[in-house]
């Protein structure tokens, strides 16, 4: 390993917030929601690493259990069946032991899935602006919903429809083109702020 590749020394502040977050989660899952290209997988993986938890991507889990890729699934079975499979797979992931779960962009739109996430986890919305999303999704051709003549118009429609629902998530961060570590720290801080708020709220006499 060269000097430039060496891991940064452990940051005591980061270690402290990580420990507090784990304590306050009390075994609940951390669930990332947001549009395609919001960075759920890349932030989720690093967040999991920092917390020492397993990471799972719901799209991946669907691909594994269906033994086909998401584009194949949409082409062969259609979106309605995909959504049913997605609901089932996320219910299964939420019944497993604590992990960081990145959900596919449409998953949180399902009321049943939202209720399950609320029951078994703490949710984080990665809110991103259109140019950020478009820059990221243009890198790969693996999103069936965007395989059309005007993916940007589709993305705008999805933002209009989904953002009010994503806003129901427990915590939110703005997903920007900044180093991943900054996003991860923002996620930890937003989650802790939510957990502190709810804890204090529950402490109030009625
Ligand atoms: C979808 C998002 C995708 C995948 C599928 C549908 C959506 O996941 O589940 O293509 O409806 O927004 P990512 O958000 O991980 O790209």
């Amino acid at each position: 390993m060269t000097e430039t590749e060496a891991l940064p020394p452990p940051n005591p502040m980061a270690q402290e917030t990580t420990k507090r977050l784990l304590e306050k989660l009390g075994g609940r899952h951390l669930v990332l929601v947001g549009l395609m290209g919001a960075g759920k997988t890349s932030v989720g993986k690093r967040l999991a690493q920092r917390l020492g938890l397993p990471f799972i991507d719901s799209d991946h889990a669907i691909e594994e259990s269906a033994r086909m890729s998401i584009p194949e699934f949409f082409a062969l079975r259609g979106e309605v069946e995909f959504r049913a499979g997605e609901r089932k797979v996320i219910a299964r992931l939420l019944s497993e032991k604590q992990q960081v779960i990145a959900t596919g962009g449409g998953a949180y739109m399902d009321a049943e899935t939202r209720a399950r996430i609320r029951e078994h986890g703490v949710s984080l919305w990665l809110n991103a602006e259109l140019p950020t999303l478009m820059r990221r999704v243009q890198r790969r051709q693996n999103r069936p919903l965007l395989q059309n003549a005007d993916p940007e118009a589709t993305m705008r429609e999805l933002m209009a429809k989904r953002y009010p629902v994503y806003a129901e998530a427990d915590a939110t961060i703005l997903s920007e083109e900044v180093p991943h570590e900054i996003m991860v720290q923002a996620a930890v801080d937003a989650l802790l702020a939510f957990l502190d708020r709810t804890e204090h709220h529950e402490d109030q006499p009625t």
Side-chain angles (χ1 to χ4, degrees), residues 35-36 40 59 70 74 82-83 86 104-106 143-145 162:
L35 265 183
M36 299 171 271
K40 293 166 296 204
D59 284 338
I70 302 286
F74 269 72
F82 175 78
R83 297 299 173 200
E86 185 172 53
R143 270 110 173 182
L145 297 185
R162 293 180 177 179

